Amino acid sequence: MIERRERGRTGSTGTKAWDGRFREKTHRLVEAFTMSVETDRRLYAQDIQGSIAHCKTMRKAGVLKAVEMATIVRGLESIKQEFNRGRFRFRPTDEDVHMAIERRLTELIGPLGGKLHTGRSRNDQVALDIRLYLRDQLDVLRTRVQEFQRALVACAKANRAVPMPGYTHLQRAQPVLFAHHLLAYVEMLERDKGRLCDARTRLNVMPLGSGALAGTNYPIDRGYTARLLDFPAVTANSLDAVSDRDFMIETAAALSIVMMHLSRLSEELIVWSSQEFRFVDLPDGFCTGSSMMPQKKNPDVPELIRGRTGRIYGHLMNLLTTLKGLPLSYNRDLQEDKPPVFDAIDTVSAALEIMTELMRRVKVNHAVLQQAVEGGGLLATELADYLVTRGVPFRDAHGITGRVVRAALESKRELADMSLEELRGFSDRIQKDVFAQLTVEGAINRKAQVGGTARRRVEQRIKELERALS
Ligand code: ARG
């Protein structure tokens, strides 16, 4: 009887680890409907790593003999090799990667494989696996963000003297350095790294020992498991440990913000590379042509990044919605947590990688930017501030300058093209030295406080960033 059950549990008859209380076999539709190996197979290395640590903990608690532990660990390592070499074969009866590995272990080492799961549930097991996986992925993502920052700083440095029109409401507003504009993205990405780091810190807690929901009967040293897996702490509540997915939501939220930043820059590159702007040329190798219009060179890469941003937001909403009505503790709904998070990681990673390469190759059209910055009345604020230095209250200075701007527009000239007499017609406080104020360079370099666009400030920030990001 026990013999037969044991054999059944090896999986060789196609039965399941949990089928003891069932009269009927699982319907094939249910098998297909519930299985998650397509998604969770990517957790195989973490699953095996976690199982080895669990096994050692069970040994330390005296639940496994030394020789049993050694055999199980050896079996797990050879399964890892099978995965690494692409030789692992899943079966239709494998519900998820955890069951597949246990099934294979039993094939390799016999009934002893059935002891691995002592004192553990897939609920705490999967909670551990995702944490281990995300911990690594968040580190990789942070590195990717940093490489992208480096590409932006390099582009800023290579074009550090070039002015451009700065915009508000997509209307030309005041001159800024092109480098200053790019460095704005570097600051956003710095905060993104902070968020990825925060998410990592909060998820870095060891859940094994929570069992299915209540904890475990075995006298295990959870701190020992945590040390083996390099966790600084263990979870404090078993119900929370098996049902908490905050860390996945946080990860998806942090990735949504990264993607939003990539999307904003994408939008700018799309606009800047248009015939209307021509501020930059995107590298040919990163653009595509039209099947019908031979002259077209389309910015598909930034467009697709902008386009995929919605998908990442969708993943965040998906997770929040999945969790909002769930009673404690584990519910099978939670199996749906992985596809959105895995896709968010893959998509944001790929977007960061390709944007880094694109920014390394983007050509900045200095002449076009220079010309753009000289038109459009960008120096009007400089005239108003000049009047302030002559004792005119800013509100009056604003009004006077507005009238000067209108006169300039009507005669199709820039402010600096007007004569001193004309200007004095608007205010007798205006002197000859006004013309020194009405230059793009002066306008930029007077913004010399911390955070301003003055050349000296921007070059200083480039240096600081180069040091911080190296
Ligand atoms: N595959 C499941 C998941 O990813 C883990 C299995 C837990 N299943 C269960 N019936 N308790 O969430």
Side-chain angles (χ1 to χ4, degrees):
M1 180 73 185
I2 287 168
E3 256 321 308
R4 282 236 314 277
R5 270 183 68 87
E6 285 289 346
R7 203 157 356 104
R9 279 169 181 267
T10 65
S12 58
T13 61
T15 53
K16 301 210 160 31
W18 41 253
D19 69 0
R21 59 97 68 219
F22 287 81
R23 286 216 182 90
E24 275 180 22
K25 272 178 58 179
T26 315
H27 195 285
R28 76 188 153 75
L29 285 177
V30 175
E31 224 153 50
F33 193 74
T34 54
M35 79 186 296
S36 57
V37 285
E38 275 320 311
T39 301
D40 58 30
R41 58 190 304 161
R42 75 160 84 185
L43 296 175
Y44 79 85
Q46 289 76 17
D47 196 70
I48 289 171
Q49 186 190 3
S51 287
I52 291 175
H54 174 65
C55 200
K56 291 181 175 168
T57 306
M58 294 313 263
R59 165 67 201 127
K60 188 162 180 275
V63 181
L64 288 178
K65 300 193 191 81
V67 41
E68 292 178 323
M69 179 194 88
T71 309
I72 293 175
V73 170
R74 237 180 299 119
L76 289 168
E77 307 230 309
S78 66
I79 295 171
K80 187 164 165 190
Q81 288 312 313
E82 291 180 5
F83 271 104
N84 287 345
R85 301 202 178 106
R87 299 251 167 81
F88 189 91
R89 293 280 158 265
F90 283 98
R91 298 228 179 121
T93 42
D94 292 335
E95 226 179 277
D96 51 29
V97 71
H98 324 291
M99 301 297 267
I101 289 171
E102 194 187 319
R103 186 259 306 154
R104 181 71 185 134
L105 181 66
T106 308
E107 284 169 9
L108 289 177
I109 67 169
L112 175 61
K115 290 201 176 182
L116 170 63
H117 210 53
T118 318
R120 186 178 68 172
S121 153
R122 269 181 301 158
N123 299 351
D124 55 353
Q125 185 178 0
V126 71
L128 172 72
D129 293 1
I130 316 169
R131 285 167 193 268
L132 286 171
Y133 178 77
L134 286 185
R135 209 164 67 167
D136 289 348
Q137 292 300 312
L138 287 168
D139 288 342
V140 173
L141 282 160
R142 219 155 15 124
T143 310
R144 287 254 153 110
V145 172
Q146 183 140 324
E147 270 164 28
F148 180 41
Q149 284 180 302
R150 288 223 292 269
L152 289 170
V153 171
C155 184
K157 190 177 183 182
N159 299 287
R160 63 189 171 282
V162 191
M164 70 177 282
Y167 293 82
T168 62
H169 313 269
L170 201 58
Q171 306 289 328
R172 288 182 187 177
Q174 288 186 299
V176 295
L177 288 180
F178 178 78
H180 194 53
H181 192 115
L182 280 192
L183 293 188
Y185 285 95
V186 179
E187 303 299 335
M188 301 174 213
L189 294 163
E190 197 58 27
R191 296 192 294 275
D192 286 333
K193 282 191 304 188
R195 275 181 283 269
L196 294 171
C197 189
D198 282 354
R200 188 200 196 279
T201 305
R202 250 187 303 278
L203 69 76
N204 201 15
V205 190
M206 207 287 299
L208 229 50
S210 302
L213 76 162
T216 177
N217 289 335
Y218 300 90
I220 56 168
D221 177 355
R222 297 187 64 212
Y224 176 65
T225 324
R227 285 193 295 284
L228 290 174
L229 295 169
D230 199 24
F231 282 97
V234 301
T235 53
N237 181 301
S238 58
L239 294 163
D240 178 43
V242 297
S243 63
D244 166 27
R245 294 295 183 272
D246 293 5
F247 60 96
M248 299 182 84
I249 295 176
E250 259 188 276
T251 300
L255 291 177
S256 292
I257 300 177
V258 173
M259 201 65 180
M260 177 271 287
H261 289 148
L262 288 176
S263 186
R264 291 185 81 170
L265 180 59
S266 293
E267 167 68 15
E268 303 220 78
L269 291 173
I270 293 162
V271 170
W272 289 349
S273 63
S274 69
Q275 289 295 305
E276 284 68 20
F277 275 73
R278 294 191 306 111
F279 285 2
V280 299
D281 287 327
L282 302 182
D284 274 8
F286 284 70
C287 293
T288 58
S290 156
S291 54
M292 185 179 134
M293 300 164 285
Q295 86 284 9
K296 291 297 291 294
K297 177 177 154 184
N298 296 329
D300 295 39
V301 168
E303 286 177 299
L304 284 171
I305 290 173
R306 192 177 58 184
R308 284 177 194 161
T309 303
R311 204 165 92 207
I312 309 306
Y313 296 177
H315 293 328
L316 173 60
M317 284 307 126
N318 175 349
L319 290 165
L320 285 166
T321 310
T322 300
L323 269 295
K324 83 177 268 287
L326 281 192
L328 297 187
S329 60
Y330 182 87
N331 299 271
R332 193 63 178 267
D333 315 44
L334 292 175
Q335 180 169 291
E336 298 302 300
D337 59 356
K338 286 172 272 325
V341 170
F342 290 172
D343 183 68
I345 289 170
D346 296 346
T347 306
V348 174
S349 250
L352 282 165
E353 186 182 22
I354 201 164
M355 276 296 259
T356 303
E357 293 305 321
L358 189 150
M359 285 312 298
R360 284 186 181 140
R361 293 168 175 80
V362 79
K363 189 175 151 281
V364 181
N365 294 328
H366 294 194
V368 177
L369 285 167
Q370 186 69 49
Q371 209 188 351
V373 89
E374 268 153 22
L378 288 169
L379 301 175
T381 319
E382 303 310 308
L383 178 57
D385 281 337
Y386 169 83
L387 286 165
V388 169
T389 66
R390 294 269 165 244
V392 182
F394 182 76
R395 270 296 144 236
D396 299 338
H398 188 285
I400 293 166
T401 305
R403 289 188 284 282
V404 179
V405 167
R406 186 156 40 134
L409 278 175
E410 279 163 4
S411 57
K412 296 200 163 54
R413 287 177 300 168
E414 290 300 321
L415 298 188
D417 299 332
M418 300 177 83
S419 68
L420 182 58
E421 290 67 47
E422 269 179 289
L423 289 172
R424 285 178 62 82
F426 294 93
S427 165
D428 58 8
R429 303 284 179 91
I430 298 178
Q431 310 281 326
K432 198 160 79 233
D433 62 354
V434 71
F435 294 107
Q437 302 286 302
L438 296 181
T439 66
V440 168
E441 242 194 334
I444 287 175
N445 288 329
R446 273 191 298 278
K447 311 293 183 298
Q449 325 68 14
V450 176
T453 191
R455 173 112 182 236
R456 168 171 83 77
R457 284 293 179 193
V458 172
E459 287 182 355
Q460 185 188 342
R461 188 66 186 139
I462 288 176
K463 278 210 194 76
E464 286 167 11
L465 286 164
E466 278 179 334
R467 223 175 302 121
L469 301 173
S470 67

